[in-house]
């Protein structure tokens, strides 16, 4: 058994130091981890924050933007990350263990929040890969179920093992301390896989095009309707570009914190 002392990091005036609570490896290139939440840290479900580690040989810390996967009420901050071999941050981050320390930014921000959307009946949370993270936050926030009658999480991945959180989402967050009853009635989870056999196959845009996205138990029209539909997009640049065009064709307007609309994307992650 490999036992080592926790990896502690030096103080940095620009960031807070936080301890790692737990790490879960979903497969060889995807993992989740959680850190302590500082008492002063406030955020809205769906926002992102900077996470990082010290640079090599006293260089500036290596920081990257990560969506917070835990809801605004949680006592810990959870994140979902890919593993990039040799990556400046993830190459090291994937090796962290409980008790190690990381840097945490002081100011969360983002547009994947309820405040950036107009009121509506159906909320679509469309994600590819680790773009699921902010929607894990929103799906566990009671405010979301108060604002929308139905919440639909669509997660597109390449392989079945990439479906992080699949068991909990299939169970409609059963056992969640705040939203389990609401999620049972209002949450619908639709995973889709592109490179392995699975009961739902194809890209998110394909599901939109052939109508599978709107099949029961989803209620309402079999297409996007600006009068009732609100959409959040997070994931690959290609998915966001193509889906945004489909939403615009359906009459939906992009929103922001300053000007709420029918759909939002997180431009911080879009190249």
């Amino acid at each position: 058994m490999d036992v080592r002392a926790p990896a502690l990091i030096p103080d940095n005036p620009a960031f807070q130091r936080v301890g790692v609570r737990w790490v879960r490896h979903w497969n060889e290139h995807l993992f989740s981890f959680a850190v302590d939440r500082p008492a002063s840290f406030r955020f809205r479900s769906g926002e992102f924050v900077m996470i990082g580690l010290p640079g090599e040989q006293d260089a500036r810390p290596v920081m990257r933007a990560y969506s917070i996967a835990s809801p605004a009420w949680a006592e810990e901050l959870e994140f979902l990350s890919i593993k990039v071999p040799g990556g400046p941050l993830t190459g090291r981050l994937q090796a962290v263990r409980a008790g190690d320390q990381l840097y945490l930014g002081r100011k969360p921000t983002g547009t994947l929040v309820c405040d950036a959307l107009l009121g509506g009946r159906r909320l679509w949370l469309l994600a590819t890969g680790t773009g699921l993270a902010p929607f894990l936050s929103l799906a566990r926030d009671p405010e979301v179920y108060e604002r929308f009658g139905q919440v639909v999480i669509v997660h597109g991945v390449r392989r079945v093992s990439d479906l992080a959180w699949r068991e909990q989402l299939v169970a409609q967050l059963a056992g969640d301390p705040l939203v389990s009853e609401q999620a049972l009635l209002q949450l619908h989870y639709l995973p889709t896989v592109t490179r392995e056999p699975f009961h739902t196959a194809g890209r998110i845009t394909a599901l939109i095009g052939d109508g599978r996205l709107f099949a029961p138990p989803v209620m309402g029209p079999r297409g996007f309707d600006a009068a009732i539909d609100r959409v959040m997009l997070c994931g690959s640049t290609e998915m966001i570009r193509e889906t945004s065009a489909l939403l615009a064709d359906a009459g939906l307007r992009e929103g922001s914190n300053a000007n709420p609309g029918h759909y939002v994307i997180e431009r911080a992650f879009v190249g």
Side-chain angles (χ1 to χ4, degrees):
M1 181 177 180
D2 182 16
V3 178
R4 65 165 173 79
L8 306 182
I9 59 178
D11 185 36
N12 186 293
F15 307 107
Q16 302 178 79
R17 288 183 298 178
V18 290
V20 175
R21 288 195 170 193
W22 54 262
V23 181
R24 175 174 181 177
H25 295 271
W26 299 95
N27 58 26
E28 71 276 14
H29 61 260
L30 185 67
F31 70 107
S32 293
F33 63 97
V35 301
D36 295 327
R37 178 179 181 173
S40 61
F41 191 86
R42 300 286 183 268
F43 72 98
R44 297 175 295 173
S45 296
E47 289 189 315
F48 69 88
V49 70
M50 303 301 288
I51 285 283
L53 286 165
E56 300 291 343
Q57 297 179 343
D58 297 326
R60 294 176 59 184
V62 180
M63 307 294 294
R64 296 289 184 272
Y66 274 84
S67 291
I68 303 170
S70 44
W73 53 263
E75 296 181 355
E76 63 184 21
L77 302 175
E78 179 184 343
F79 303 94
L80 180 63
S81 178
I82 58 172
K83 305 176 184 179
V84 179
L89 180 60
T90 60
R92 299 159 58 200
L93 194 60
Q94 63 184 285
V96 301
R97 303 180 186 180
D100 291 350
Q101 290 182 334
L102 303 175
Y103 289 128
L104 174 73
R106 298 183 183 276
K107 185 173 175 54
T109 189
T111 54
L112 298 178
V113 293
C114 286
D115 293 343
L117 291 176
L118 299 167
R121 294 213 312 264
R122 298 193 300 196
L123 176 62
W124 302 88
L125 305 176
L126 308 183
T128 57
T130 57
L132 177 67
F135 302 152
L136 293 173
S137 175
L138 288 156
R140 290 182 280 173
D141 191 324
E143 179 188 357
V144 171
Y145 299 94
E146 294 167 3
R147 292 192 52 169
F148 301 96
Q150 187 162 36
V151 179
V152 185
I153 296 179
V154 184
H155 190 200
V157 298
R158 295 178 178 179
R159 303 184 305 168
V160 177
S161 65
D162 294 330
L163 291 171
W165 270 79
R166 178 186 174 191
E167 291 183 4
Q168 296 93 325
L169 292 171
V170 166
Q172 294 171 282
L173 301 177
D176 185 275
L178 290 189
V179 304
S180 58
E181 294 184 6
Q182 293 165 297
L184 183 63
L185 298 174
Q186 297 172 245
L187 177 66
H188 174 50
Y189 168 60
L190 178 60
T192 183
V193 177
T194 60
R195 297 190 181 180
E196 289 181 350
F198 194 64
H199 58 72
T200 304
R203 300 166 66 220
I204 289 176
T205 48
L207 271 60
I208 296 172
D210 61 23
R212 284 180 291 164
L213 193 79
F214 308 95
V218 173
M219 298 175 288
R222 300 294 291 269
F224 290 119
D225 182 342
I228 67 169
D229 286 316
R230 304 296 175 256
V231 188
M232 295 185 178
L233 308 174
C234 192
S236 72
T237 300
E238 183 179 19
M239 184 277 287
I240 291 175
R241 183 181 65 250
E242 293 178 358
T243 306
S244 294
L246 295 174
L247 294 175
D249 289 344
L252 278 70
R253 174 180 58 82
E254 184 179 353
S256 66
N257 281 288
N259 187 22
H262 303 113
Y263 76 94
V264 288
I265 67 176
E266 187 49 79
R267 293 197 172 276
F269 300 127
V270 178

